[in-house]
Amino acid sequence: MKFAIVSALMTICFLGICSTNAETELVKNAKWSKLAANGVPESWENRVTGSNSFSVTQAATGNVLKLTVKDPAKTAFFMYRNLPLEAGKRYTVSYEVKGSADGKYLLYCEWQRQAPDAAKAVLQSYNTRLQSVSGEWKKLVFTFTFPQDCRMAYMVLMAKQGEIEFRNLSFTPAK
């Protein structure tokens, strides 16, 4: 009887430890599994205009958000607003990407920074380098520290040229 009680307590403690170490996803619907009637993933803003297009395809290896640019003069991006970030904390963004041979994209975070001595807020970004893709899935990861005096953080997934596909997006506190 004592063995059964001790065993049950150890199992409960183990499960408690494991659950506290689980990653906390900060982006609602990061896997694009919930779609509105118009096909836009819930909690995301669609900024695809002109002849540019998007689609979400369900797949066993992760749902795929595809952005296609036919008119580079028009926009082709999705935005996730109101990231719950805290000043001085570190965050990790990881995702997989692939696309057409001419594909170029950005995946970046941006926020408003209001320094105490500044008259107005300015936009500050992280990871804004234009990137090329290949026809094979590639996992990318970046980590950053959210600065002091900042607010209104958001993330942008933007296609600038060709076809770009994203999957397995994750935005979590850094370990």
Side-chain angles (χ1 to χ4, degrees), residues 34-71:
K34 298 176 186 169
L35 305 178
N38 61 358
V40 174
E42 290 179 6
S43 303
W44 289 82
E45 290 183 29
N46 170 15
R47 301 288 179 93
V48 178
T49 62
S51 59
N52 299 332
S53 62
F54 78 93
S55 65
V56 176
T57 307
Q58 293 184 357
T61 55
N63 293 344
V64 176
L65 173 64
K66 180 178 179 180
L67 298 170
T68 303
V69 176
K70 293 182 181 173
D71 182 356

Side-chain angles (χ1 to χ4, degrees), residues 76-161:
F77 68 92
F78 272 73
M79 178 185 294
Y80 185 88
R81 291 187 184 269
N82 303 316
L83 287 164
L85 308 185
E86 296 178 42
K89 301 264 177 141
R90 293 178 50 75
Y91 298 93
T92 299
V93 177
S94 67
Y95 61 98
E96 293 177 47
V97 63
K98 77 173 187 173
S100 59
D102 64 338
K104 300 216 181 296
Y105 78 98
L106 296 158
L107 189 151
Y108 63 93
C109 296
E110 195 163 59
W111 47 81
Q112 288 186 2
R113 182 160 192 214
Q114 178 80 46
D117 58 343
K120 64 180 188 174
V122 295
L123 283 178
Q124 190 174 43
S125 304
Y126 190 83
N127 200 51
T128 56
R129 186 175 49 92
L130 187 64
Q131 299 189 56
S132 299
V133 294
S134 72
E136 301 296 322
W137 287 109
K138 181 178 180 182
K139 182 174 182 172
L140 296 166
V141 178
F142 64 90
T143 300
F144 68 96
T145 301
F146 189 58
Q148 301 291 327
D149 305 319
C150 294
R151 59 191 168 95
M152 298 175 59
Y154 57 91
M155 178 174 46
V156 173
L157 287 70
M158 178 184 295
K160 296 295 283 179
Q161 181 176 312

